[in-house]
Amino acid sequence: TLIAFSPFTSGTAALYRTNNKNLESLGTVMGIPTLWRLVAILFVGFVGREMTMDCNDVQDDAAVGVQTVPVLYGTRFASRFCFLSSTVVSLLSTAFPAVKVGRLCKTTTAA
């Protein structure tokens, strides 16, 4: 699960390097900086992936005593969470670009 936090550390480092003043130059959609959208996509994706991997070896984890989400709450709950994670990643990666394209189309037709 520690791997899932790597997008936050990378995103924070990138914001520190840009000193937050150049944040607008990175682009925003619906007021959300593109960098933070990418960080959210990576974080949710990594969490879902790690939980999927935990579902694969739930018997081994239980035998050794490793307390993962599938061991504690069952594989059904973990599988539902993985599906939700995949859905959120899909929405985050497609919804914001669709809004931006929609705005561009409105601007083009209005001109």
Side-chain angles (χ1 to χ4, degrees):
T1 324
L2 200 54
I3 293 171
F5 285 107
S6 63
F8 284 120
T9 57
S10 301
T12 305
L15 286 175
Y16 176 76
R17 294 292 295 162
T18 60
N19 295 325
N20 287 331
K21 36 185 164 174
N22 298 330
L23 190 58
E24 291 81 22
S25 67
L26 297 175
T28 60
V29 177
M30 295 174 55
I32 300 173
T34 305
L35 179 64
W36 284 117
R37 183 175 57 88
L38 178 62
V39 167
I41 290 169
L42 290 172
F43 175 73
V44 174
F46 284 168
V47 168
R49 179 192 169 277
E50 290 300 315
M51 195 160 312
T52 302
M53 299 304 288
D54 287 341
C55 285
N56 288 337
D57 63 350
V58 68
Q59 289 86 7
D60 296 335
D61 288 345
V64 178
V66 177
Q67 295 192 358
T68 60
V69 172
V71 170
L72 294 174
Y73 301 106
T75 54
R76 185 175 181 165
F77 173 80
S79 298
R80 287 181 178 179
F81 186 86
C82 293
F83 177 75
L84 178 67
S85 171
S86 299
T87 304
V88 168
V89 166
S90 298
L91 289 174
L92 282 173
S93 60
T94 58
F96 287 104
V99 168
K100 195 168 188 176
V101 168
R103 285 185 183 165
L104 288 174
C105 290
K106 284 181 185 177
T107 307
T108 306
T109 17

